[in-house]
Amino acid sequence: MSSQLYKSFFNLLFLHFLVCHIAFGQDHAIQGKILDKETLQPVGFAHLIIKGDDKGTSTNEKGLFFIREIASNDTLLVSCLGYKTTSFGLDNELLNKEMVLFLEKNAQQLEEVVVGRRGYENPAWEIIRLTIKNAALHNYQGNEDFDYESSIRTNVYITDTNEDFLKQKLVKEAVQRMEKIDTLSVNQKGMPNIPVYSSSSKQKVNYQAGKQAEDREQSYYKEVFLGPEFENQFKQGLDNEKTTINFYQKWLRFLAKDFSSPFNASFKNYYDFELVTYEKVDDDWCYKIDFVPRRENDMTFGGTVWVTDEKRGFAIKKVTAAIGRNSPINFIDSITVDQKLAVIDTSQIWFPYQQNIKMWVGGKLNKNWTKFLVDISTKNTFPSKDTLLYSPSIDTTIYAQIDTVKQMPTVKATAQIMDMFVTGYYRVGGFDFGPLTVLYAQNNVEGNRIQFGGLTNTQWNKNLIGGGYVAYGTNDQKWKWGVMGKYILNHENWTFLYARAQHSLQRLGGGITFPGQDPYLWISQAWGTFTNPYYLDEARVLANSYVAEGIQLRGSFTYRNENYFATELTDTLAFSRITTSELSGSILFDFGKRYVSSRHLNRYIAANGKYPTITFTYKRGLPTFFDATDSYHKLELSMRHRFKVGALGRMDYVLSSGWTPSTVPFPLLFVHRGNNLRYIYSGSSYNLMDFGEFMSDRYASIRMFHHFEGLFINRIPVLKKMNVKTFGIANLLWGGVSSDNLAANVNPWDKDEASFNSLDPSTPYVEVGGGVENIFRMVKVMFLYRATYQEGASRKYGIMFAITPEF
């Protein structure tokens, strides 16, 4: 063979090898369908993975699939719930035609599959059910203790700004000052976002499974606000509530509302689901499922959840959820939540390691109002082989921007007005002048009442406050005064000492007024007609402390000298003076509660736990001590709680009871609290009962307020757009007085009658009613009916109002 022939043969051989190599290794796109081997029906939402690669896809509801960039030497793994995982080797012939692949049923998995009554089962439902079934293993608020660190950043911006808004003198100057420090971010329209609040915090957290509670230790906190300074309120309570949303819970507590989780056991009543695809998130293969609220006015989220496959035990990997404009939340235009979870150590617990919440506030009130963007970012880290490291950098720029605007005189004045409205005091540095609500009052004893006073605040001393007042009545021409002080020895276990003294005018059944009292509560006690009035000389000391988590002890000593006098309305008193020296001890159980402390060192509940608050109190009136005129024993027990009643709404209730075996003047009995404000509802009173109308030496009561949320009105097309909600009220009181106490308190002008009213033990006092709340986002209107003890009652029916701005 000539050399030319050899050369041609070699070229042909090389060309054949090259063509064969290209044909064998070239990437292709394949398509086909997957069928059930027995029924030959399409298998929808099966997932296909190229072995050794991250590429994959899922079949649609007709069992069809399409995969790009697959080579002829690849192996295809096909799996689906209820079927055996099967591998298929590919070759050139399969790549040139539509593939038909068959799956064989897996009997063991099929036992878990629930078939619908009409033979159809939404494939997403089974994944949701398996996630719920395995929740006990994966839920971080479960049965294992663990530690983690949490970093929370919260920024609030004025967003949705426009040119007219930015041209306003105050806004223009504020923006200029901020941009001298750094360029402001912009919204989608290119308009600047103006920061008005920022906070950053870090906490070390210990989760205790036995108590289902967290102990938090703040290691860093900083905040700045253009409005009134809330100081420690965010630090102690509100920021903690933003940490995580637990989608494993049946009901998600968010903004004081209860939202149905997509993993609620009755999920099909609230959501429609669609299995979208099977894809990889980080290193985990997940089912991607969309969930959409069935009714837009229900307390629900909408969004997408990624659930790990059977290898990872159907755990929640990622959630993106949103609450839209049509939701029943007040003031909030929309909310988005993005959350990702990772497994802790080698356990099966999945923990949210990052979360971002964005809320657009204000646009729901009026489309022309400027909206606020609340941007909350949470990063959690924990010891793990798979630790997700995060070292948050504290952005001090936004603090500097807000601080420079706060120095503007107009901004200072606006913040002062807001603070006066919220607190009822006028703040001057470390001193608060007020309460402003009772600078002037009018009643039948004092005529015109003028009062001046004030309190120090935590700006002066973070552990000590003091204050007082003086008042004068133009009719009785007497001066009244009061002083008080409170010192916090330990904030963590709320150990404090409290003392007060006063010479004041009081009314029986209205509660004791004192310096430092809630300024808005004082209004109802300073105005109106006083029945059974008396001048009070009082001295009181009190100590309080938590002796263990959720267990609080309180002890006090109180001296009172009550000097009663007759008015044109009261002339049936058998006494004129009552002096008592009282020792009191209480134990309180409040597991799971979170509190915030005001600048006057009062505490308020920021978050309710799953357990009720229980208080037991014993009081002992010491005989002859400091010239005491009366000796007595008193026992009181109360329990209050708020809980979700599934789809029926939310219930608030207070159970209470008391008993005194002693014979005492009737002011020392249990005086049941009425309400003298005819149109203003009080949640702590019997609203159709007058001050001092009924008294008992033994009683039991229950007050219930049930919020139906949107249970009924959400089904009425016209009303549901108004976003109003219904509620029901029931107040029941059983009481009685012993024959000894009746005999000791006879009417001096009629020996056959007692000088006070009491209840018949066989007939409870009952007032019931209901109404509509959330009118104009904040108004409650209620209709009440006094069902018993109607004879002689000043009111049998009542239409009352309450202004309670709520989300």
Side-chain angles (χ1 to χ4, degrees):
M1 187 178 293
S2 67
S3 61
Q4 184 66 28
L5 186 59
Y6 275 113
K7 186 176 181 180
S8 298
F9 178 77
F10 177 78
N11 289 338
L12 287 172
L13 185 64
F14 177 78
L15 182 61
H16 176 74
F17 170 79
L18 184 62
V19 170
C20 291
H21 177 75
I22 293 174
F24 186 79
Q26 185 178 14
D27 288 341
H28 294 269
I30 64 171
Q31 60 183 345
K33 66 174 62 176
I34 297 179
L35 302 178
D36 185 297
K37 188 174 181 180
E38 295 181 7
T39 66
L40 300 182
Q41 293 297 314
V43 179
F45 305 102
H47 43 271
L48 304 88
I49 304 172
I50 301 172
K51 188 175 181 179
D53 200 339
D54 289 344
K55 298 173 184 176
T57 188
S58 298
T59 60
N60 62 16
E61 68 277 5
K62 297 180 181 180
L64 300 176
F65 67 88
F66 180 84
I67 303 179
R68 297 181 182 276
E69 299 179 355
I70 188 168
S72 58
N73 59 343
D74 282 337
T75 298
L76 197 62
L77 298 177
V78 183
S79 60
C80 183
L81 283 176
Y83 292 88
K84 294 179 179 179
T85 300
T86 308
S87 63
F88 298 90
L90 303 180
D91 56 35
N92 288 328
E93 292 185 4
L94 288 175
L95 298 177
N96 295 327
K97 61 181 69 174
E98 183 179 284
M99 301 174 62
V100 179
L101 307 178
F102 297 93
L103 291 183
E104 184 177 350
K105 289 179 179 177
N106 185 329
Q108 183 177 1
Q109 289 189 9
L110 281 176
E111 292 177 359
E112 298 176 343
V113 177
V114 178
V115 179
R117 287 178 294 177
R118 298 183 180 179
Y120 171 74
E121 168 78 352
N122 184 332
W125 292 351
E126 181 63 9
I127 298 171
I128 298 295
R129 277 194 291 263
L130 290 170
T131 306
I132 296 172
K133 179 181 178 181
N134 293 345
L137 296 174
H138 304 313
N139 186 358
Y140 71 95
Q141 292 180 326
N143 301 317
E144 292 189 33
D145 297 345
F146 60 92
D147 299 312
Y148 68 99
E149 294 187 1
S150 180
S151 300
I152 306 171
R153 176 204 48 77
T154 302
N155 291 333
V156 180
Y157 304 89
I158 297 177
T159 187
D160 198 27
T161 56
N162 53 52
E163 292 184 1
D164 291 337
F165 178 76
L166 295 172
K167 287 179 182 178
Q168 296 180 31
K169 183 178 179 181
L170 175 62
V171 177
K172 184 177 181 180
E173 183 180 351
V175 171
Q176 288 175 347
R177 288 190 176 209
M178 288 183 174
E179 292 202 321
K180 285 182 180 179
I181 298 173
D182 196 7
T183 303
L184 296 174
S185 63
V186 296
N187 59 23
Q188 293 179 346
K189 299 177 182 178
M191 297 289 109
N193 294 317
I194 304 172
V196 295
Y197 173 85
S198 183
S199 71
S200 297
S201 65
K202 294 182 182 179
Q203 302 111 23
K204 293 182 178 179
V205 188
N206 170 243
Y207 175 73
Q208 300 175 18
K211 299 178 181 178
Q212 291 194 336
E214 293 180 341
D215 285 336
R216 290 178 173 268
E217 179 185 345
Q218 291 274 3
S219 58
Y220 174 85
Y221 190 84
K222 181 178 177 64
E223 75 169 353
V224 63
F225 185 31
L226 278 181
E229 294 294 341
F230 294 113
E231 298 188 19
N232 291 327
Q233 293 195 29
F234 283 96
K235 177 180 179 180
Q236 294 181 2
L238 301 182
D239 241 2
N240 296 341
E241 287 301 293
K242 305 171 191 172
T243 306
T244 50
I245 297 176
N246 187 355
F247 284 91
Y248 278 112
Q249 293 176 327
K250 295 179 181 179
W251 296 94
L252 308 172
R253 192 70 177 161
F254 187 62
L255 293 177
K257 300 290 184 182
D258 294 296
F259 290 83
S260 175
S261 169
F263 298 98
N264 192 316
S266 54
F267 59 88
K268 288 185 284 186
N269 293 333
Y270 295 95
Y271 295 99
D272 290 323
F273 295 86
E274 180 183 358
L275 179 58
V276 179
T277 188
Y278 180 72
E279 62 185 23
K280 215 169 191 182
V281 179
D282 295 334
D283 294 324
D284 299 305
W285 282 98
C286 299
Y287 298 98
K288 179 181 178 182
I289 299 173
D290 289 342
F291 55 97
V292 180
R294 302 192 68 183
R295 291 170 295 274
E296 61 184 14
N297 281 71
D298 279 356
M299 305 297 285
T300 49
F301 288 86
T304 304
V305 61
W306 285 259
V307 176
T308 62
D309 60 16
E310 51 272 24
K311 292 182 180 178
R312 282 288 207 173
F314 299 98
I316 301 174
K317 172 66 180 180
K318 178 182 176 182
V319 182
T320 62
I323 302 171
R325 185 181 180 84
N326 293 322
S327 74
I329 302 183
N330 293 330
F331 313 120
I332 303 293
D333 192 63
S334 59
I335 301 173
T336 62
V337 179
D338 293 300
Q339 186 183 93
K340 294 184 76 173
L341 297 89
V343 69
I344 298 179
D345 296 321
T346 56
S347 70
Q348 299 185 67
I349 296 175
W350 289 69
F351 191 81
Y353 68 88
Q354 71 179 37
Q355 177 178 271
N356 185 252
I357 299 174
K358 291 185 177 181
M359 298 185 289
W360 284 264
V361 183
K364 212 170 189 180
L365 290 172
N366 188 314
K367 291 183 179 179
N368 296 322
W369 283 23
T370 299
K371 297 178 186 177
F372 291 85
L373 168 61
V374 182
D375 188 0
I376 306 166
S377 177
T378 302
K379 304 288 184 180
N380 298 315
T381 61
F382 39 86
S384 171
K385 295 180 180 178
D386 303 319
T387 299
L388 297 165
L389 297 177
Y390 176 76
S391 300
S393 58
I394 304 302
D395 181 9
T396 57
T397 301
I398 193 170
Y399 294 122
Q401 289 175 324
I402 294 176
D403 275 331
T404 189
V405 173
K406 286 183 66 175
Q407 307 310 313
M408 297 170 59
T410 309
V411 173
K412 284 185 176 180
T414 303
Q416 187 81 33
I417 293 171
M418 293 171 60
D419 183 78
M420 289 168 54
F421 178 78
V422 171
T423 66
Y425 288 87
Y426 178 79
R427 183 174 183 174
V428 183
F431 185 79
D432 291 353
F433 175 76
L436 304 177
T437 56
V438 286
L439 291 178
Y440 173 80
Q442 192 177 67
N443 58 67
N444 66 314
V445 175
E446 295 174 294
N448 299 303
R449 174 190 171 95
I450 309 297
Q451 177 174 314
F452 296 96
L455 298 170
T456 63
N457 59 54
T458 50
Q459 182 176 330
W460 175 71
N461 189 304
K462 67 178 182 179
N463 296 318
L464 174 66
I465 63 164
Y469 74 91
V470 292
Y472 183 77
T474 58
N475 190 27
D476 66 350
Q477 298 184 355
K478 292 183 180 295
W479 287 95
K480 297 89 180 174
W481 57 267
V483 294
M484 60 81 65
K486 188 174 187 178
Y487 182 68
I488 309 297
L489 285 79
N490 187 306
H491 285 270
E492 184 176 353
N493 58 22
W494 200 238
T495 301
F496 67 84
L497 298 174
Y498 168 85
R500 74 170 184 243
Q502 62 178 324
H503 171 73
S504 59
L505 174 68
Q506 305 288 337
R507 64 204 303 178
L508 187 62
I512 301 294
T513 57
F514 52 86
Q517 188 183 40
D518 185 321
Y520 293 100
L521 180 62
W522 210 333
I523 295 176
S524 66
Q525 296 167 292
W527 288 77
T529 300
F530 280 50
T531 55
N532 293 327
Y534 61 95
Y535 291 106
L536 171 68
D537 292 293
E538 180 193 48
R540 176 176 171 84
V541 293
L542 182 148
N544 183 96
S545 182
Y546 278 95
V547 295
E549 178 68 27
I551 303 176
Q552 192 174 174
L553 292 183
R554 182 174 298 169
S556 68
F557 172 77
T558 306
Y559 168 81
R560 286 196 184 99
N561 183 23
E562 303 173 2
N563 293 280
Y564 289 83
F565 58 93
T567 69
E568 65 276 9
L569 299 176
T570 56
D571 60 355
T572 60
L573 294 176
F575 49 83
S576 61
R577 176 175 169 267
I578 297 175
T579 303
T580 59
S581 297
E582 180 183 278
L583 279 176
S584 175
S586 300
I587 181 169
L588 294 84
F589 302 94
D590 59 353
F591 296 104
K593 297 289 190 299
R594 287 183 187 160
Y595 297 89
V596 294
S597 176
S598 73
R599 69 182 188 225
H600 297 148
L601 296 179
N602 296 316
R603 289 214 304 176
Y604 305 96
I605 293 177
N608 280 288
K610 62 184 296 185
Y611 304 106
T613 298
I614 300 174
T615 305
F616 177 76
T617 302
Y618 169 70
K619 297 178 180 179
R620 170 65 168 132
L622 302 175
T624 69
F625 193 64
F626 287 128
D627 296 324
T629 59
D630 294 277
S631 171
Y632 56 87
H633 302 268
K634 282 187 177 181
L635 296 172
E636 293 179 83
L637 177 66
S638 69
M639 180 170 66
R640 63 177 60 239
H641 192 32
R642 166 181 290 179
F643 62 94
K644 183 70 178 173
V645 194
L648 296 178
R650 173 170 51 88
M651 168 69 77
D652 294 281
Y653 73 86
V654 179
L655 288 169
S656 60
S657 63
W659 175 60
T660 175
S662 307
T663 302
V664 292
F666 69 82
L668 296 181
L669 299 174
F670 298 104
V671 183
H672 305 299
R673 185 165 185 173
N675 182 3
N676 70 321
L677 300 176
R678 297 187 68 88
Y679 301 105
I680 305 300
Y681 177 80
S682 171
S684 60
S685 306
Y686 299 96
N687 284 275
L688 298 181
M689 183 188 294
D690 294 326
F691 278 165
E693 183 176 354
F694 292 111
M695 302 166 204
S696 304
D697 57 20
R698 58 192 184 278
Y699 79 92
S701 72
I702 180 170
R703 297 199 305 272
M704 297 178 289
F705 197 115
H706 186 83
H707 306 262
F708 289 103
E709 303 293 354
L711 179 63
F712 303 116
I713 292 182
N714 274 5
R715 275 66 177 175
I716 304 174
V718 177
L719 293 179
K720 74 177 183 179
K721 292 183 179 181
M722 300 170 63
N723 199 25
V724 295
K725 303 176 179 69
T726 55
F727 59 84
I729 304 171
N731 295 326
L732 291 84
L733 169 66
W734 292 264
V737 178
S738 67
S739 56
D740 289 342
N741 272 315
L742 289 173
N745 289 279
V746 296
N747 188 327
W749 312 112
D750 187 347
K751 299 298 183 180
D752 294 328
E753 292 186 6
S755 55
F756 65 97
N757 292 329
S758 60
L759 296 166
D760 182 343
S762 64
T763 305
Y765 172 88
V766 178
E767 60 182 32
V768 294
V772 178
E773 59 184 336
N774 207 39
I775 300 172
F776 306 121
R777 315 286 178 184
M778 62 181 67
V779 177
K780 289 181 172 69
V781 178
M782 56 207 72
F783 304 88
L784 295 175
Y785 171 63
R786 178 166 165 164
T788 57
Y789 298 96
Q790 294 184 349
E791 185 178 354
S794 62
R795 292 172 293 169
K796 298 178 184 178
Y797 304 90
I799 299 177
M800 309 190 81
F801 302 86
I803 299 176
T804 52
E806 296 177 349
F807 285 111

